[in-house]
Each structure stands twice: as C-alpha cells, then as structure tokens.
Amino acid sequence: MKLYTAAILLLFWLGVFTVHADKGSSSSEVMRKFKCVNLSTRQLNIRNLVNYEKQQVPTDAIMFVTTGGIRICVSTNQKWVQAAIKRIDERCAAKPK
C-alpha cells in the first residue's frame, strides 16, 4: 500500500513540476522580431505608411509598416524611401503627446 501511495505522489509532483516549468518557459519567451529577407521593388504610397524600422542584418533594408499593419521591406538606396522616412518622421514629431 505504501508503494502505491508513493507512486501516486511521485506522479502528482511530476505533473505539478511539468505544468510549472511549461508556464515559466512560455512567459519568459522572447518576442520574435521580423527580419527582411525579400525586398519589394515597388514604390509604396507614402500616405499609407505609418512607421518604419532600419535593418542591416541579414540585408541593408527599411521595413515600412502600413496603416493595415502590413510590413514591407524595401532597399534603402531608392529615392522615394528617403522621402517616405522624412514624411513619417515629420508626422510623428507633429503628433501631440
């Protein structure tokens, strides 16, 4: 009878430890960061862009975020890209805080 009780207690504690370890690992997980791998060659409508992020690894690129939350990566050496960055920066500076 004691062996049976010990086995049940062992299984219970293993279950508690497994659940605790699983919850700890999911809450401490690092948020995945988007990376540009493929670059779009199309010029985007500047009015639909709300934010951007510069990236150098794995490729030198700008990741624009549209009003719909879509992320689009483009090459930094296009003329319209610098104009779009300037426009977004101006809009962000003009927003009341």
Side-chain angles (χ1 to χ4, degrees), residues 16-80:
V16 168
F17 176 74
T18 303
V19 169
H20 178 69
D22 185 39
K23 285 184 179 179
S25 66
S26 65
S27 64
S28 61
E29 202 172 287
V30 176
M31 202 166 156
R32 188 178 76 193
K33 189 170 181 169
F34 292 96
K35 300 226 182 255
C36 294
V37 178
N38 298 323
L39 302 180
S40 175
T41 57
R42 294 184 330 133
Q43 181 172 342
L44 306 174
N45 186 342
I46 294 175
R47 286 179 274 164
N48 294 335
L49 304 176
V50 294
N51 204 353
Y52 69 92
E53 180 181 320
K54 294 180 181 179
Q55 176 184 302
Q56 293 178 332
V57 177
T59 183
D60 194 24
I62 299 291
M63 180 190 306
F64 285 115
V65 181
T66 67
T67 53
I70 299 170
R71 291 166 162 56
I72 302 171
C73 297
V74 296
S75 176
T76 57
N77 61 6
Q78 298 179 46
K79 291 180 183 179
W80 70 268

